Amino acid sequence: MDTKELRLGNYVKLSKDYQYVGVEIPAGTICKVHAISLNSLYLECHVNGGTFYGEVPISMVEPISLTEGLLLKCGFNVEYYEFQIKEQRLLTIEDFWILYNTRTNFYGVMLSNRVFKQIEYLNQLQNIYFDLAGIELKVNL
């Protein structure tokens, strides 16, 4: 991952087990970005019922892939229209639309009835949503 792809508040996951000041954080743990430096992130992670705050090398994190279930947890609703192709779904939250192709696993942000940006990861969605809507996306993991 590149730090240029991240903003404060983005969610990432650890790609490898990581130990910091005696705390073992397993790979796959989801963490929230609290600060960004050139080669590391200051993260908040919930581990074994506790909260870990610490610095993690950028090489130890990876983006969280989008899924339909994740979008639903973040408040998106599935919309159905008679003109839709069977393998495509529209997921919306207010005036923000995402086209999801179930066959190709393609997610694209729509603007004026056209896909203008393909997205693959939660942090991309968080950033685009903030840029277009002007508010943070409520993420429920």
Side-chain angles (χ1 to χ4, degrees), residues 66-68 100-107 118-120:
L66 283 181
T67 64
E68 185 176 8
Y100 169 49
N101 187 306
T102 59
R103 185 176 49 83
T104 61
N105 205 36
F106 172 91
Y107 292 90
Q118 178 181 0
I119 55 175
E120 299 177 67

Side-chain angles (χ1 to χ4, degrees), residues 32-106:
K32 187 175 184 177
V33 176
H34 279 276
I36 302 170
S37 68
L38 186 60
N39 294 314
S40 64
L41 303 171
Y42 190 77
L43 301 176
E44 172 191 343
C45 308
H46 297 281
V47 183
N48 299 327
T51 302
F52 160 81
Y53 292 94
E55 193 169 7
V56 175
I58 191 73
S59 62
M60 299 289 291
V61 299
E62 62 187 16
I64 299 168
S65 295
L66 283 181
T67 64
E68 185 176 8
L70 178 59
L71 291 172
L72 294 173
K73 285 182 181 179
C74 292
F76 282 83
N77 297 302
V78 178
E79 301 287 339
Y80 296 98
Y81 296 94
E82 60 186 53
F83 62 83
Q84 275 181 254
I85 298 170
K86 183 178 180 180
E87 64 208 20
Q88 292 183 339
R89 289 192 175 85
L90 287 173
L91 295 117
T92 66
I93 188 168
E94 297 189 24
D95 291 333
F96 191 90
W97 292 31
I98 293 178
L99 176 70
Y100 169 49
N101 187 306
T102 59
R103 185 176 49 83
T104 61
N105 205 36
F106 172 91

